[in-house]
Structures are given as structure tokens and as C-alpha cells.
Amino acid sequence: MYVEMFKGDVEIYRHVRVVFTGREGAGKTTACQRLQKKEVDLNIRKPTVGAVLHPNWFSVDKKSKEWIQNDDKSASEILEIRLGITMKKAQTNKKAGLQTGFRESATDLSMTSSQTYDLYEKHFEECNAVQEASQHANMDGVLLSLWDMGGHSSFQASHNVFISSHGVYLLVFRLTDFLKDKLETDRLKKWIRMIGTFSSVELNAPKLKEHEPPLIFVGTFLDELRRISTDYEGQVQAIQSSISKFPELSSHKFVRFCTLDNSQGTEPAQLSSLHVPRTEVQNPRLPSTSRNDDANLKQLRGTIIELAEHQDQWGRKLPTRWLKLEMDLLKARERGTKILTLAKVIEMNETSIAPLADVAEIVLALEYLHCTRSVIYFREFDHVINDPQWLADCFSLLITDDMFLPKDNIVLSRDLELYKTKGELTLKLIDALLSIEKNKEFLPHKPILLALMEKFGLMVRILISESSTGNARFSETYSIPSKLMELQNTDGMITGVNNLELNNLAVSKTLCLIFRDVFVPEELFHRVFATIMKTYRSASLSATHIEDDLRRNLLTTEDTTCLYRGFGCFEVNDLCRMILSMHWERSTIAVTLFSPSESKLPPNSGQLVRTTLERILKDTLQMSSQQHFQFTHKLHCNFHLSPYDTPVELYSVIHAEGGMSCKGGGCRGKHRLKKSDLLFWGITKFTVHLHGLGSSDEATCLDRRPTPQELGRLSYIIKASECEQLFIALGLSLPEISNIEHQTRSLVVVTQITRMFLKWTYAYPNQTFRNIAMAMSKVDIATDSLGESVETGLECVILDDMESNEDRLKRPLLVSEIGSIVDNIDKDYFNLFLELGLSVHDIEKCEVDQPSVKRRVETLIKLWINTSRDQATVIRIVKAMKLCKMDWYSTAMAYCVGDEEETGEWPWWSWWRCAIL
């Protein structure tokens, strides 16, 4: 039966991950110990360093909600229980499953007889253990783990590695701090942001359900509040009411509130429901406050179990062979294997009695384990961290609070000073920390661990220089973004920028990248800033270059003049520099370009910087599974965002005659933001609307059928070498693709791709942009530019450098003057006339009637003039040519020059057109 259950049976995943969060000294560890039913000595209090994990500490009966301790069992024994439950269900149902990915016997393996015997013996022992566990397995059992996260601010930078949408979060805070400490509210909001990172109505790929991690506020030290207040119950209610109004809770659906008395280890917990707009779970009426700890903690435990079903992975059906892989990993962990390469996991799978089908399934299984944080795994990183506790311990060594650093090592005094004041981590300090006896287990894995910390943006070697061959050089020391020195005031920077403008040096308007979700955690901005520091070289406001290579070999932030926490000045190229500031509290990144030596900024510099920053943002969001965060653009007049400054919507800048007044708190609208300011950043009407796919209208756009015009635009971002794989992924057959290529062989490639898209949408009329996005991802085509195909209309196209001539182009197009347009269109006509609104049927009919390309274009232009009438203007066809990447500028200038040679007005337009038609 043990072998049979790997042939298709599934486990319904029910695991509760209780995560304790909050500042240091709030009582998290005390609450964690009480939930573990441990004795608590309140006279002994020591801070939690990094994080302490208690995996599978309890088995919980789903019906009775009774918590039964499992601390005497190993992790692999817990897996045997899970497999035992699955076996028991299989025996009850008397079913045999499918055989996908199952190896019938170990003799299929290329092994010696001795190895085969050892493998049989191992499987036999495992089988007996699982069968024995099945005899006592609780079919309604739920496993519960406890994660006690260190509260010091330095540790919070790495917590995002361990926090996920699968968890019930306890936000622990001291009641008296809430009343006395004005900063306590800000601290709580930061934690709410961190946890809310994983709250989203977006679908989560592994489970296809909404992200709704439950949150329980736990107010501790109720005994202190009793001593200082006669109306402590009223104050508790006031605290609860105040928290319920936090705007940051808008992204949370399941929120509770309770209090704990810290004077005794068996003090009661009072539980109630927070009145937040999205809260749906209703609390039953609780017993009145009493000293009966068992009854009150039982109620708290019951609520945790009640909220557990809202965890991300809860109820997911897992193939039992995934459990077998998890068991093999846990047994490797028990043997001391803390980290494995993906290749090693694949090798382990090959010798399994229930191997996964292929590498793709192994990766999916590892990503599920990462969702639950049973292991730490990223596709971009070719290693599996098999022991999260081990990784948390390593992180807490290198990114730590000053109080935990060595204090008596004089040799390290300079390195420690750099770490404390500049956020610099030298190799000497790293080796010293890892050479301490208790930390030596990390030394063999130092390169991998440092690479992982860099990959996740916890620290970074900043860019020093780039040679002419494109080889980048980086600092030998590491910078920790969360520990960089804070910029106390910006007066000096403001003066510097003002001096640039007084000296007639170029300074751009400020582009603001603003997240739609207002409550983005600070840790995300640290990770983004880390990537920026290794992409751009730090610089100063002056024209002086730091060219001393010897000095740059050991560059630290003390060698730079403009590098702070979330703020920096960077070199874009020899003529252009960038001021970048992170405003995490406003969920905004502000960027300004300037030249320390020139009166004009290099062409396309703004667009290149914008696209680079957008790529960094998207990569960071993907790395931390936060793709549901979307951002948009706004414009500001100053590099510095003051508290009362309001960046201007791009829509307003585009449509305001003569530009839009800025909304800076200090400048009182004395600046005007114009279309040219947007064009500098490569933003047009088209791209403003385009961002609707990545922002406000994303779901609507993705879930509707594309129009022919949109499919035509999409064709420009597909390469010829990619189209066959793409359309096979979309469902077209190879003969259909070949037939279209043959029919359109005399036309340009983009027309062939457009015809394939039209064939696809005709064959699958119910498929949408989302199907295209999925197919593109499947064949490794970037979907970043998918938004360019969103329906925007020609009105959103800006003709660069033609503002003074646009009025001349707004007149009707005459049939007698279409010759120059025909010459500039040639074989690209199909997409152009789609963009102008002609139907696919009309274009194809013209192709049949007119064998010559030139005659086709002439006929289609006349058809468009006759169909569109007053809308058939010169400017409209020029804009369509720009969208279709044709030579629109020459065409536009030809008509402008023609107008200058004419004298008088054009009162005979309408009559002339009627006569021609």
C-alpha cells in the first residue's frame, strides 16, 4: 500500500504557520513560549537574535481544536505521520491512483547490487514507519509551527526572506508603549506593511487563490496597564479602536485583537474582532476576563486554527510524491545537509522510490516548499537552502544590531566602526564573524551565502567603474542598504542643484515612480536601492570624477559624497548624472537627471534611465513574489519631495494648454510641467495609457479579447525567430503557421506575425490578453511590453518636435496629394490600415482585387478617405505611421513645407474633396 499511494494519491495540505512579529521587548518570545505550554521565567529575558523556528511543534485536532505537542518528534517523523494519514485515507477509499512519474522498482536504477540492497532496506524501513504511523494517524489532524522573529530593526531587513502569504501573523506590541511612545504607531504600521506585502486579490500561481494572510494584534503587558490606570479596560478599547482605523489595514481581510498579561505565565488572553472594513471572520462571544489561563489561551489557540484556512497554501492538493521529496530533504537536513545544489536535488529524486516526473515538477515542488518556508528556494538561484533556521542564523550574524557585535576585538575596531556608521561590511569582518567557534559551520558555504544575500538585495558590492570592454568592477566591501547612514537634511543638496541651474546647467524635471498600493514596506525599497548601487556608479553633484583606480579598489561609502540610506547621486554617463531618492512612506521613488558640465542632457538619457529603473523594480518584485504591486508615473518640479509636495498626474500635463502648474508645497505653482518634460523621459500619451495594463486597468485589459489594431501593435514586439514557438503555444498548428508564412511571403515580417495573431483570435474567439501573456512566458518572451498593444487611439500619439507644425497637419488629406504617402508606406500597409480603422475584410478584399502593392495602398487610402470623411486628416495618418514604425517625420515635413508654399486659406477643401470623390 505504501508504494501504491505514490501512484496518484494526494495530501490535502493543512499546516498552520504562526509567525510572531513586532519590535524588540514587546513580549513575542514570552507569548511564543506560552503557546508552547512552556514554563516562563519572567526574570530571565533575552532578545531573539534573527529568528527562532519551532517546526511542527503541535498537532491540532481540527474538530476539538486541542493542541498536542510534537516536540519529541523529528521533522522526518512528522512527515511519516503525514504520509500515514494519506495512506489511511487511501486504504479507506480503497483506491489506486495514476502512475505519472512513478518508478516501479529500484532495480530500474543503474546501481551496484550493494547499492540496490541498501536502497531496498531504506525503503523497507520507511514503509514500516509510515504504516505504523497510519495506525494512529488522526484524519482530522493539523500541524502547527511557530516562528519567533527577532524585533530589532536590523533583523527586519532580512525577515522578508522568511515571511510569505502562508502564515497566521501575530503582531505583538506593548500596550503601555502604544499610549506613551509616539513612534509606536509608526512601528506597528511598518509591520502591517510588511505582512500586507502578501495581501492581494491577485491570483497566486501555485494555488490560484487570493493572498489573505490573517493578522492578530497581541497587546502585551496588560498588567502594567492595570497598575497605571483605573480604567484600563476603556484604554484597551481605545487602543483597539485606534488600530482599527489604520489605513494600512485596508489590504488585510482577517484581523483580530487580543491582550495578554505578562505578570504571570498563565495569565488570560482576551480576544475580540477588530472592526476593519474588509473583516469577514466573526468572533464568537468570549467568556469574561478571568484568571483561568487554560480557557482563555484555548480560545486564542482556537482562533488561530479558525483563521488558518485563509493561509495561502491551505487546502492545496499535493501529490504524495512531493511529500516523498520533502521527506528526503528533511532526512538530508537531519544528517547535517543545510544547503544543496539543484543538481543534487535532481540526483536525489532519481534514486527515490517515487520520483517526480521531470525537472519542471521538481522546481514546482520546491516552490511549494518555499511558499511554506520549509526550504528557501528561488529559480534565479541554483541552490536550495534546506534549513531555514540555519539561514536565519547566518543572516543575523552579518546583518545585525550593534549590541550583538563583538566588543573586545581591537584589531576589528576600524571595520566595526565602518559597519556601525556607514553600513559597510568588510571581508575582514565577515571572516572574523564566521571564524567564531559557534559560527564555523557557515565558513564552507560563505561564497554561496554571500551570493544569496546579494541576490535578495540584503547587501551589495557597489559599482566602481566600467571599462571600455564592458567589464564592470565592484567594491571589495559590501554595503548594507538598510544600515547606510541616513541623510539628515537636504539643504546642501538643494543648494547644489540650485547652483547648477544658476550656471545654466541642465536639470530635468523629476519623474516619480509611485506604487498604486500606498503601503509598500521599506524593505522593498532597500532591495531596489541595492540593485541601483550595483548598476550605477556613485557620484557627486560636481563635475569632478573619482578616477583614482587604486582608491576605488577598496571603495566604501566614506569615499563618496552622495550615498545615504535610500538616497544617492549616481553617474549615468560622462555627461549625465542622476539624483535618486526613496520615499518608502509615500511608496515613491523620485529620480532627477542633471549634467554637471552641459546645458543640455544627452538625447534618450531620460528614457534609458526610466526603463532601467522599471526593469529593476520588476525584477525585484518577481524575486520576492510581490508581482501584484503595480506602479505608475507622475511628474514633479523638484528632485526633493517635501511632505506637502504632490506630484502631478501625467494626464494633466498632457492635456493642459501651456503645461500644468506644479504642486510643490514651497514653490506655489511657479513652475510649469510640459509635454516636453514627459518626452524627455520617453513618456508619450501612448505610454501613459499603456501603463493601464500594468496598473489600474490590468485585470480588465488582460481578461478581454484583443482588437485587430492591438494585435497589430503587439506584432512589433515579437521577433521572427520567436513567432513559431509562440503561436504553437497559443494553439496554432505548424501547417497553419507555414501556410500564413507562404501567403504573406512577399510582405514584411510584422505583417506575417499580425496575420498569425488574426488567425489565432479567429480560431479562439474567447481567448484574451492573458492567454497571450501566458504563451509568451512559456516560450521565454518578456511580457513587459505587452501593454503597448492596449487600445489607446491615435489621439494619444505625440509627434516629437512637431508641436509648432501640428495645426498645419490637422487639415483633410486630399486624394491628389497621396503620392508621397504611398511611397513611404510600401509593403507595411496592412498594419497601417488596421490602425486607421479599416476592417480586415476590406484590406484582404483589396489585396485580391489589386495585385500591385502600390495600387493596393492607393486604393486603401481612398477607401479610408471615403469612409472616415472629416476624420481622414493628414495628422491622423502621420500618427498611424508613427505607431507602425514608418517614416512619419519625412511625410509630416513634406506636408508642412507644402503648406508654407501655399498662399491664402483653404475655403475650397470641402468642395475639392467632394469633387474628387
Side-chain angles (χ1 to χ4, degrees):
M1 191 64 197
Y2 179 64
V3 173
E4 289 293 318
M5 73 175 182
F6 291 118
K7 295 183 179 181
D9 285 315
V10 296
E11 179 200 44
I12 306 300
Y13 186 72
R14 292 192 178 94
H15 178 270
V16 190
R17 199 168 72 103
V18 182
V19 185
F20 293 81
T21 62
R23 67 170 297 192
E24 76 278 7
K28 297 185 299 298
T29 300
T30 299
C32 183
Q33 289 175 332
R34 288 180 182 176
L35 279 180
Q36 294 176 65
K37 303 181 181 179
K38 288 183 176 180
E39 293 289 335
V40 180
D41 186 347
L42 298 179
N43 295 317
I44 302 176
R45 293 182 180 176
K46 59 181 181 179
T48 300
V49 180
V52 178
L53 318 181
H54 306 278
N56 303 310
W57 192 266
F58 289 99
S59 291
V60 182
D61 188 284
K62 191 71 167 61
K63 293 181 179 178
S64 67
K65 297 186 180 180
E66 181 182 0
W67 292 28
I68 304 167
Q69 288 184 243
N70 282 332
D71 54 308
D72 60 334
K73 296 181 175 64
S74 68
S76 59
E77 288 174 327
I78 296 296
L79 252 296
E80 290 169 358
I81 293 174
R82 290 171 61 187
L83 286 168
I85 293 173
T86 305
M87 177 182 286
K88 192 171 184 178
K89 289 180 179 179
Q91 290 171 336
T92 302
N93 297 333
K94 295 181 179 179
K95 72 171 188 175
L98 302 175
Q99 299 186 16
T100 303
F102 175 69
R103 196 188 309 280
E104 289 295 339
S105 69
T107 55
D108 294 337
L109 305 172
S110 300
M111 296 182 177
T112 65
S113 58
S114 174
Q115 289 174 319
T116 303
Y117 176 80
D118 291 342
L119 193 61
Y120 268 123
E121 186 176 23
K122 183 183 74 171
H123 293 329
F124 182 74
E125 292 174 357
E126 192 177 280
C127 176
N128 286 340
V130 172
Q131 286 179 333
E132 182 178 350
S134 70
Q135 303 301 315
H136 311 285
N138 180 0
M139 302 281 280
D140 295 311
V142 171
L143 293 170
L144 184 141
S145 300
L146 303 168
W147 292 54
D148 185 7
M149 311 301 289
H152 288 79
S153 58
S154 297
F155 300 140
Q156 294 176 26
S158 62
H159 282 352
N160 200 268
V161 178
F162 305 100
I163 289 178
S164 73
S165 51
H166 185 81
V168 176
Y169 289 89
L170 272 58
L171 180 45
V172 183
F173 68 100
R174 202 167 185 150
L175 292 166
T176 50
D177 282 349
F178 191 91
L179 296 173
K180 295 179 180 180
D181 190 345
K182 295 180 179 180
L183 296 178
E184 185 65 10
T185 297
D186 292 335
R187 296 188 193 103
L188 287 178
K189 288 183 175 182
K190 286 184 69 174
W191 278 104
I192 296 170
R193 285 183 179 218
M194 170 68 82
I195 300 165
T197 293
F198 298 96
S199 293
S200 172
V201 296
E202 295 290 324
L203 296 182
N204 184 28
K207 179 92 188 297
L208 295 181
K209 69 176 290 185
E210 294 180 355
H211 305 178
E212 297 170 350
L215 174 62
I216 302 175
F217 287 88
V218 181
T220 58
F221 291 89
L222 182 61
D223 49 300
E224 284 186 350
L225 192 58
R226 284 197 186 106
R227 287 197 300 269
I228 65 175
S229 174
T230 56
D231 184 25
Y232 71 90
E233 290 181 343
Q235 288 192 311
V236 168
Q237 289 297 319
I239 291 172
Q240 176 180 331
S241 176
S242 177
I243 290 175
S244 69
K245 295 180 175 63
F246 286 176
E248 285 80 358
L249 288 174
S250 61
S251 62
H252 293 266
K253 191 172 183 179
F254 306 102
V255 187
R256 302 294 183 86
F257 180 95
C258 76
T259 59
L260 291 176
D261 188 322
N262 281 53
S263 63
Q264 300 178 24
T266 56
E267 202 60 19
Q270 302 168 330
L271 192 66
S272 59
S273 177
L274 266 183
H275 299 288
V276 295
R278 295 185 66 211
T279 301
E280 295 181 358
V281 177
Q282 300 298 319
N283 282 323
R285 184 176 294 277
L286 297 175
S288 59
T289 303
S290 71
R291 296 285 173 171
N292 184 348
D293 170 69
D294 290 339
N296 287 277
L297 281 184
K298 182 178 180 180
Q299 181 65 59
L300 176 57
R301 294 186 184 108
T303 302
I304 290 173
I305 299 303
E306 182 183 355
L307 293 176
E309 66 182 71
H310 304 295
Q311 299 175 110
D312 180 57
Q313 299 293 306
W314 183 271
R316 182 176 179 180
K317 294 181 179 179
L318 302 175
T320 48
R321 58 182 179 270
W322 287 22
L323 271 67
K324 184 64 176 69
L325 176 64
E326 185 176 358
M327 175 181 279
D328 292 341
L329 289 171
L330 287 173
K331 287 186 175 181
R333 181 194 302 178
E334 291 169 359
R335 293 192 299 268
T337 303
K338 308 296 186 182
I339 185 170
L340 304 93
T341 62
L342 180 60
K344 185 63 179 178
V345 177
I346 295 170
E347 180 184 330
M348 180 188 299
N349 178 70
E350 290 174 351
T351 61
S352 173
I353 194 174
L356 278 62
D358 49 32
V359 175
E361 187 181 3
I362 293 173
V363 169
L364 285 176
L366 290 173
E367 287 180 333
Y368 139 70
L369 291 172
H370 177 76
C371 287
T372 64
R373 294 310 190 261
S374 300
V375 303
I376 305 297
Y377 171 73
F378 302 98
R379 286 194 183 214
E380 300 86 350
F381 194 71
D382 197 32
H383 287 78
V384 179
I385 306 298
N386 201 29
D387 188 348
Q389 178 67 73
W390 180 77
L391 187 65
D393 292 342
C394 178
F395 284 179
S396 65
L397 287 176
L398 302 181
I399 304 180
T400 189
D401 203 73
D402 293 352
M403 65 180 292
F404 301 113
L405 291 169
K407 298 176 175 60
D408 55 356
N409 193 330
I410 298 177
V411 176
L412 294 174
S413 58
R414 179 184 176 275
D415 304 271
L416 290 169
E417 186 65 20
L418 276 176
Y419 186 88
K420 294 175 183 178
T421 60
K422 303 288 187 179
E424 289 295 315
L425 182 60
T426 64
L427 294 177
K428 182 179 178 181
L429 182 57
I430 292 173
D431 289 337
L433 293 173
L434 297 184
S435 296
I436 297 173
E437 188 62 35
K438 65 177 181 178
N439 303 332
K440 285 185 176 179
E441 63 175 322
F442 300 112
L443 269 176
H445 308 288
K446 184 180 80 168
I448 297 172
L449 290 169
L450 294 179
L452 175 61
M453 296 179 78
E454 273 202 275
K455 189 71 177 178
F456 208 76
L458 299 178
M459 59 188 193
V460 60
R461 292 188 303 152
I462 65 177
L463 179 66
I464 297 175
S465 65
E466 290 184 278
S467 67
S468 58
T469 59
N471 295 323
R473 297 173 57 242
F474 299 93
S475 62
E476 291 184 3
T477 61
Y478 290 89
S479 294
I480 302 174
S482 61
K483 294 184 73 68
L484 290 177
M485 184 170 59
E486 189 170 357
L487 180 63
Q488 297 300 322
N489 67 74
T490 59
D491 292 346
M493 297 294 296
I494 292 173
T495 300
V497 173
N498 289 341
N499 287 335
L500 291 171
E501 294 177 330
L502 289 173
N503 292 322
N504 198 32
L505 297 176
V507 180
S508 76
K509 293 300 188 287
T510 298
L511 180 69
C512 298
L513 290 84
I514 302 177
F515 285 94
R516 285 183 52 229
D517 187 338
V518 179
F519 310 112
V520 178
E522 184 179 13
E523 289 71 21
L524 174 65
F525 289 89
H526 290 325
R527 297 198 298 277
V528 171
F529 199 64
T531 308
I532 290 170
M533 286 193 290
K534 71 178 180 182
T535 304
Y536 295 103
R537 183 171 69 171
S538 60
S540 65
L541 285 178
S542 69
T544 304
H545 289 272
I546 304 175
E547 298 293 353
D548 189 344
D549 289 341
L550 180 61
R551 185 185 182 193
R552 281 189 172 273
N553 281 337
L554 297 174
L555 184 68
T556 67
T557 53
E558 67 180 348
D559 297 316
T560 63
T561 57
C562 292
L563 190 58
Y564 302 90
R565 187 188 310 168
F567 185 95
C569 181
F570 301 94
E571 188 175 279
V572 178
N573 53 49
D574 292 339
L575 301 177
C576 179
R577 296 186 183 180
M578 166 177 68
I579 301 173
L580 187 137
S581 55
M582 302 282 187
H583 302 269
W584 73 268
E585 69 284 351
R586 301 177 65 161
S587 295
T588 299
I589 299 173
V591 57
T592 308
L593 298 192
F594 70 93
S595 175
S597 59
E598 305 297 323
S599 59
K600 287 187 177 182
L601 289 164
N604 300 321
S605 55
Q607 182 172 353
L608 288 173
V609 169
R610 175 180 65 83
T611 54
T612 299
L613 293 178
E614 289 175 350
R615 175 183 54 77
I616 290 172
L617 273 174
K618 291 174 182 177
D619 290 347
T620 304
L621 291 170
Q622 181 176 355
M623 182 69 182
S624 52
S625 301
Q626 296 167 327
Q627 298 96 319
H628 53 280
F629 282 173
Q630 302 295 334
F631 58 90
T632 187
H633 301 124
K634 293 185 181 181
L635 211 59
H636 190 53
C637 59
N638 197 321
F639 81 93
H640 177 64
L641 278 177
S642 299
Y644 299 104
D645 289 352
T646 303
V648 177
E649 298 280 354
L650 301 192
Y651 181 87
S652 302
V653 177
I654 290 171
H655 293 282
E657 291 290 337
M660 183 73 183
S661 296
C662 66
K663 298 181 181 180
C667 56
R668 297 181 176 86
K670 66 182 180 182
H671 306 111
R672 298 196 74 80
L673 304 173
K674 302 179 181 179
K675 293 179 184 179
S676 57
D677 298 322
L678 293 180
L679 290 174
F680 170 76
W681 293 105
I683 297 174
T684 64
K685 292 182 181 181
F686 179 70
T687 53
V688 170
H689 228 88
L690 165 157
H691 238 55
L693 184 63
S695 54
S696 58
D697 300 323
E698 182 186 19
T700 303
C701 291
L702 283 179
D703 292 325
R704 66 173 176 80
R705 186 186 186 190
T707 66
Q709 290 94 334
E710 289 166 340
L711 292 173
R713 295 174 201 148
L714 182 57
S715 300
Y716 289 96
I717 67 174
I718 306 298
K719 298 177 182 177
S721 59
E722 300 169 336
C723 70
E724 181 177 299
Q725 286 185 319
L726 174 64
F727 288 101
I728 289 175
L730 282 169
L732 294 186
S733 66
L734 190 58
E736 289 175 314
I737 296 171
S738 300
N739 186 49
I740 294 172
E741 289 176 339
H742 178 74
Q743 291 176 345
T744 58
R745 62 190 182 278
S746 62
L747 301 178
V748 293
V749 172
V750 71
T751 300
Q752 296 179 359
I753 297 173
T754 302
R755 293 287 184 93
M756 292 182 195
F757 270 123
L758 292 171
K759 175 68 176 179
W760 165 76
T761 196
Y762 181 82
Y764 304 99
N766 294 324
Q767 295 207 355
T768 65
F769 270 113
R770 191 176 299 279
N771 299 102
I772 296 175
M774 291 170 61
M776 291 173 69
S777 298
K778 186 176 180 180
V779 297
D780 296 324
I781 300 176
T783 59
D784 298 350
S785 301
L786 187 60
E788 293 178 7
S789 59
V790 174
E791 179 68 76
T792 58
L794 297 176
E795 292 75 17
C796 295
V797 178
I798 291 178
L799 300 179
D800 310 326
D801 301 324
M802 294 292 295
E803 292 181 355
S804 61
N805 293 316
E806 280 195 10
D807 288 339
R808 298 177 184 176
L809 301 177
K810 291 180 180 178
R811 63 176 180 79
L813 176 67
L814 303 179
V815 173
S816 62
E817 52 185 9
I818 66 175
S820 58
I821 294 181
V822 172
D823 293 335
N824 285 336
I825 294 174
D826 199 25
K827 296 181 180 180
D828 293 349
Y829 66 87
F830 190 93
N831 286 48
L832 175 69
F833 290 105
L834 276 182
E835 199 64 61
L836 288 170
L838 295 186
S839 68
V840 176
H841 171 76
D842 287 337
I843 300 173
E844 290 180 341
K845 183 177 184 301
C846 179
E847 288 176 328
V848 173
D849 296 338
Q850 303 292 340
S852 163
V853 170
K854 184 173 183 177
R855 289 291 299 162
R856 289 177 190 173
V857 174
E858 291 174 348
T859 303
L860 288 170
I861 291 178
K862 293 176 182 179
L863 176 62
W864 173 64
I865 291 175
N866 190 38
T867 303
S868 299
R869 297 186 178 275
D870 292 338
Q871 295 297 314
T873 60
V874 175
I875 195 169
R876 194 167 183 83
I877 197 167
V878 168
K879 287 184 174 183
M881 291 176 71
K882 183 179 181 181
L883 273 182
C884 295
K885 305 187 185 305
M886 298 178 182
D887 184 10
W888 64 271
Y889 190 83
S890 298
T891 303
M893 291 306 297
Y895 283 99
C896 290
V897 171
D899 282 357
E900 290 174 355
E901 294 174 353
E902 295 288 343
T903 57
E905 300 298 330
W906 294 78
W908 38 268
W909 277 348
S910 300
W911 172 85
W912 179 255
R913 165 170 289 187
C914 293
I916 293 293
L917 297 177

